[in-house]
Amino acid sequence: MQNLGFREVLRVEKERAVYVLHDITICVDEVENLGSYVEFEKIGDDRETIENELFALANELGLSDFERRSYLEMLLEKQHTVK
């Protein structure tokens, strides 16, 4: 990656468990210095239908807080608020 001009800013350390429920991939991540996160993914063309299905699954599992930032963004933000 350094050959492309990228430089390491911060390393994101995580452990991931992957599950498949029908055609939905569910990733459970334990992110060092952040906590636990669940990520759903389903491949298809009908974005609205897929989003509704994923939100319904999240609701069924009791998940109600949604995060759009990347782990790197959250870690960098956390790092800046600690200083």
Side-chain angles (χ1 to χ4, degrees), residues 36-58:
S36 301
Y37 293 85
V38 179
E39 181 179 304
F40 300 129
E41 180 179 86
K42 180 176 178 177
I43 307 238
D45 294 324
D46 188 348
R47 179 181 177 145
E48 185 177 342
T49 299
I50 290 172
E51 282 183 353
N52 289 337
E53 186 178 345
L54 297 180
F55 280 119
L57 176 59

Side-chain angles (χ1 to χ4, degrees), residues 34 36-40 47-48 50-52 54-55 58 64-75 77:
L34 282 181
S36 301
Y37 293 85
V38 179
E39 181 179 304
F40 300 129
R47 179 181 177 145
E48 185 177 342
I50 290 172
E51 282 183 353
N52 289 337
L54 297 180
F55 280 119
S64 59
D65 293 331
F66 301 102
E67 180 61 64
R68 294 205 178 267
R69 295 173 295 169
S70 70
Y71 297 143
L72 179 60
E73 288 173 299
M74 290 187 287
L75 284 168
E77 187 175 302

